[in-house]
Amino acid sequence: MSDTTSARTWLPLNDLAERLGITPSKARKLIEEHSLLAVRRDGVLSVPEDFLVDDQPLSELKGTIIVLGDSGFSNDEMMQWLLEPEDSLDAAPIDALRAGRKAEVRRVAQALG
């Protein structure tokens, strides 16, 4: 991961579960259902804090993860794309999603496939 992605705050699975008020197995299910995206950092499954809003998964994230997966992106590639600045958005895609620019982010994601 680049400096851009490592500069963000990451929540290991157990911390994520605690933050969401659920069990680690339910947190893992959110990842399996594509409501959240996680990658291993130092061997620990972790999620960027930016993927949460009001201690819930960012609702716009799920469809974006699905679009990227359908385009053949691996989890690591999805994570990198979501967290690093994207010239066509003038922001990192996750920041654009958090700003309410879901349609624009997904349009760019689809064009990558």
Side-chain angles (χ1 to χ4, degrees):
M1 298 269 158
S2 72
D3 292 340
T4 307
T5 58
S6 58
R8 296 188 183 259
T9 301
W10 290 80
L11 299 170
L13 188 67
N14 288 338
D15 293 353
L16 172 69
E18 186 175 313
R19 176 88 171 265
L20 298 176
I22 59 178
T23 64
S25 64
K26 286 186 180 174
R28 190 176 297 275
K29 188 162 178 66
L30 288 173
I31 295 163
E32 290 168 5
E33 294 172 343
H34 306 295
S35 294
L36 288 170
L37 179 65
V39 293
R40 292 204 176 275
R41 293 179 50 85
D42 300 322
V44 178
L45 201 58
S46 301
V47 172
E49 188 174 39
D50 291 329
F51 288 5
L52 304 179
V53 174
D54 298 327
D55 292 335
Q56 293 297 316
L58 176 68
S59 61
E60 294 83 358
L61 189 59
K62 183 174 185 167
T64 305
I65 292 170
I66 291 169
V67 167
L68 291 169
D70 288 349
S71 295
F73 278 60
S74 70
N75 282 358
D76 287 337
E77 290 168 333
M78 285 186 239
M79 188 68 75
Q80 186 172 353
W81 186 78
L82 284 164
L83 299 179
E84 292 186 356
E86 169 61 44
D87 291 342
S88 61
L89 296 169
D90 291 324
I94 188 62
D95 298 328
L97 283 174
R98 292 175 63 88
R101 297 166 56 196
K102 175 179 75 173
E104 187 179 355
V105 170
R106 291 193 185 157
R107 217 175 2 262
V108 172
Q110 284 177 320
L112 296 172

